[in-house]
Amino acid sequence: GVMEKCSMCIQMTQSTILTAKREGRPVDTNEFATACSAACSSGSIMFGDVNNKKDDVAKLFEDDRMYHLLEHVGTKPNVFYQVKVRNV
């Protein structure tokens, strides 16, 4: 197979937006899902709207443990990570 860059399941995201629009309502908090976040039963992969302060992802974005890969290079990626907590 050929390795491709993750598109953040744009088809699923657009489907969620269109469904809410057809129903005449805003997209609900934590309604967005990607294939990997839907398949991850442990909740270690999450997807959502960082601009919606009620969304769980926005709360994680404000956490002190959040970091971006290669942040010092200034790439400003859309993916962020949480530092693993260790009891040493």
Side-chain angles (χ1 to χ4, degrees), residues 17-28:
I17 293 169
L18 288 173
T19 300
K21 190 173 185 178
R22 268 189 242 123
E23 294 173 0
R25 62 176 177 81
V27 178
D28 292 332

Side-chain angles (χ1 to χ4, degrees), residues 59-72:
K59 294 171 187 164
L60 291 173
F61 186 73
E62 299 297 327
D63 193 341
D64 292 337
R65 297 182 325 151
M66 187 281 297
Y67 71 96
H68 292 286
L69 288 181
L70 300 174
E71 189 170 26
H72 63 281

